[in-house]
Amino acid sequence: MLNPKIKQILKLSIPAAVNNFFDMFQLIIDMIMLGRVSPASIAAVGVSMQFIGLLYAIMSVFNVGVSAIVSRYIGAKDKENAEKTVFNVAFISFLFSIPITILSFLYPEIIFKFMNTSEEVKENGIIYLRILSITFPMLFIEAVLYSSLNAASDTKTPLKIGIFANIINTILDYILIFGKFGFEPLGVKGAAIATTTAYIISFLIYLYLFLSKKLILSLHFKLDKEIIKKSLKIGIPSGIERAITYGSFLVFVKLIAEYGTYTLAGYQIGLRIEGLAFMPGFGFTIAAMALVGQNLGAKNPEEAEKSAILTAKIAAIFMGFMGLFMIFIPEYIALIFTDDKKTIEEASLYLKIVGISQIPLAITFVLSGALRSAGATKTTLFINGFSLWVLRIIPAYILSKIFGNILYIYLAMTFETYIKALILYYIFKKGDWKWIKI
């Protein structure tokens, strides 16, 4: 029989992991279907999603802030202030999304010029990103609502919404990309319309549930400057950290793009497959954030530490198991996305290398999330910023120039993952995060 603590962790993490899987699945469906169109279509959507990743980094200013504060209020059994926090953070995130939406809609070509993609990839990517940009304000608000539910230990509601949105996306992808049931085949444009529609429906469901007070939390419509200041104080370092992280990913992709469209397409497929292995890690990260925040709110820091360490151990087992598939059968997994032999070879090389780093990656996910939930966002900002640029990007660039082989770029990435996991474990066990006041 399972230990009650393990059962609690699994109860929180499994729905969150499955929901994250469906978020990834939505993109995977796009790429699988577009893989039957052309490698350039895959690359275009993949590069677009790198930008969306940067967008989610900016959203983390609000997501981490609302998660840390709401989880503490829930632990302290102060529901009114928890609900007030949700409304205030959602409101400020919406205001912040407006200029980003306008710039993304008017000038989507900037990202593809920066990535130095081929003209065909750029043309397809502009179409995809411009259509998707109209949903950005909704994505900002939904991310806050989603994070607040997770912080309150409700990971099942986001899962149900995610499943429904994915069904919509999959059906529309099939109809619009290939032109079924009398529709004109739209390729990348069809994928963008399908994903946009799914995002809109998902947002409307969240909004209805919060407004109808059918969930553990609702919206308390009262502006509070102190709550906004508090959330930004916690969230801004996390947002900077995520922006640095995804900015480094963009630079990383730029290095890879120099090896040609097939290598870039293979990397994007490999990244999506690795993303499936991330899902348990993300789920356990959400569990760790909720448990750490709630235990700190209940004035029980020792239990917060024990919960985070146990969560990291379970996450390492799950992600290590996923890593075995990436090491031993990468070709068969890549075949799901494309039948292009060269692209499969490139994707397989990436998967074999990163498969060996899944266990330290799990530790990195969980302990970073635990530290953020405790309010130690400046600490994670420094560790992740230093690690990504000094231990990953710079060595990858130097090795690429010396050897001219993509293998060394991937090896640099794997080395950095191991070192960062060790640093985070040391900082977490040191325990200074237990006494941070929010």
Side-chain angles (χ1 to χ4, degrees):
M1 195 164 180
L2 281 177
N3 181 301
K5 290 182 179 179
I6 295 177
K7 287 179 70 175
Q8 183 185 23
I9 291 167
L10 293 177
K11 185 179 178 181
L12 289 173
S13 61
I14 290 176
V18 175
N19 185 45
N20 275 295
F21 164 77
F22 279 112
D23 283 345
M24 178 65 67
F25 186 73
Q26 194 161 316
L27 173 60
I28 287 173
I29 288 296
D30 283 1
M31 297 191 76
I32 288 174
M33 295 190 185
L34 289 172
R36 272 56 188 174
V37 178
S38 69
S41 297
I42 297 176
V45 173
V47 173
S48 297
M49 295 315 294
Q50 293 292 333
F51 175 74
I52 300 300
L54 183 58
L55 199 67
Y56 275 105
I58 297 170
M59 290 181 196
S60 70
V61 170
F62 313 104
N63 303 349
V64 172
V66 78
S67 181
I69 297 171
V70 167
S71 63
R72 289 218 185 184
Y73 279 136
I74 293 296
K77 302 188 185 306
D78 187 351
K79 187 179 178 184
E80 181 180 342
N81 273 317
E83 293 180 340
K84 197 184 295 182
T85 299
V86 177
F87 169 71
N88 278 271
V89 179
F91 177 73
I92 197 70
S93 71
F94 168 73
L95 294 181
F96 200 87
S97 72
I98 299 302
I100 296 174
T101 302
I102 293 171
L103 289 172
S104 300
F105 183 82
L106 294 178
Y107 308 107
E109 66 275 5
I110 292 174
I111 186 71
F112 298 95
K113 288 180 180 178
F114 173 77
M115 301 303 294
N116 196 29
T117 63
S118 67
E119 193 64 28
E120 186 180 3
V121 171
K122 185 177 80 171
E123 289 174 2
N124 280 288
I126 288 172
I127 293 170
Y128 188 87
L129 197 55
R130 179 165 280 147
I131 293 172
L132 212 62
S133 67
I134 66 174
T135 65
F136 289 174
M138 289 173 261
L139 290 179
F140 269 77
I141 296 172
E142 183 178 316
V144 171
L145 303 182
Y146 164 82
S147 297
S148 64
L149 287 179
N150 288 332
S153 296
D154 180 4
T155 55
K156 290 183 179 179
T157 299
L159 170 60
K160 293 174 184 177
I161 298 171
I163 291 172
F164 181 73
N166 269 274
I167 292 172
I168 297 296
N169 181 68
T170 302
I171 293 171
L172 291 178
D173 263 344
Y174 178 71
I175 293 172
L176 298 176
I177 291 174
F178 301 118
K180 302 296 182 179
F181 305 110
F183 283 85
E184 178 186 353
L186 298 175
V188 167
K189 185 177 181 181
I193 294 171
T195 302
T196 297
T197 304
Y199 282 166
I200 292 171
I201 291 172
S202 175
F203 166 75
L204 292 175
I205 294 172
Y206 269 103
L207 195 60
Y208 166 75
L209 290 174
F210 269 85
L211 293 176
S212 61
K213 300 185 177 181
K214 295 180 180 292
L215 302 172
I216 189 172
L217 292 170
S218 59
L219 296 175
H220 190 116
F221 291 90
K222 184 179 180 180
L223 285 174
D224 189 317
K225 291 181 181 178
E226 289 306 311
I227 287 178
I228 292 174
K229 286 180 182 178
K230 191 186 294 185
S231 68
L232 292 177
K233 182 181 178 181
I234 298 168
I236 286 175
S238 184
I240 295 171
E241 176 199 333
R242 298 285 181 89
I244 289 172
T245 299
Y246 282 99
S248 72
F249 285 169
L250 291 178
V251 173
F252 203 70
V253 175
K254 184 177 174 63
L255 289 176
I256 292 168
E258 293 178 1
Y259 287 85
T261 298
Y262 285 105
T263 300
L264 180 58
Y267 170 73
Q268 296 298 341
I269 288 174
L271 205 59
R272 301 289 82 79
I273 294 169
E274 187 189 14
L276 296 177
F278 287 179
M279 295 308 103
F282 289 150
F284 287 113
T285 299
I286 288 170
M289 291 180 73
L291 292 172
V292 167
Q294 289 176 22
N295 278 303
L296 290 176
K299 311 297 182 184
N300 195 349
E302 297 309 314
E303 186 61 32
E305 180 180 349
K306 290 178 183 177
S307 297
I309 293 296
L310 181 57
T311 304
K313 290 178 180 177
I314 301 171
I317 292 171
F318 273 80
M319 287 185 65
F321 181 73
M322 298 290 285
L324 294 176
F325 287 93
M326 295 160 63
I327 294 168
F328 292 110
I329 55 169
E331 298 88 355
Y332 296 100
I333 307 173
L335 192 60
I336 298 171
F337 291 82
T338 181
D339 53 9
D340 184 84
K341 185 178 179 180
K342 180 62 176 172
T343 304
I344 290 173
E345 289 176 358
E346 296 290 348
S348 298
L349 174 63
Y350 174 80
L351 290 170
K352 287 176 182 178
I353 299 299
V354 299
I356 63 176
S357 66
Q358 294 307 299
I359 290 176
L361 193 60
I363 294 169
T364 296
F365 282 167
V366 173
L367 296 188
S368 288
L371 288 169
R372 291 187 197 105
S373 185
T377 50
K378 291 180 181 178
T379 300
T380 57
L381 164 60
F382 176 77
I383 293 172
N384 285 304
F386 171 83
S387 183
L388 284 169
W389 284 95
V390 177
L391 300 179
R392 177 183 292 197
I393 298 298
I394 294 175
Y397 177 80
I398 293 172
L399 290 171
S400 177
K401 294 301 179 184
I402 293 174
F403 296 103
N405 190 326
I406 193 70
L407 172 65
Y408 292 95
I409 293 180
Y410 297 155
L411 288 173
M413 178 178 64
T414 300
F415 174 78
E416 181 267 337
T417 302
Y418 274 88
I419 298 300
K420 182 161 60 178
L422 290 172
I423 294 171
L424 282 167
Y425 181 77
Y426 170 77
I427 294 295
F428 189 80
K429 290 297 290 183
K430 193 176 177 184
D432 294 345
W433 55 272
K434 296 176 186 176
W435 319 114
I436 295 174
K437 291 185 179 181
I438 292 181

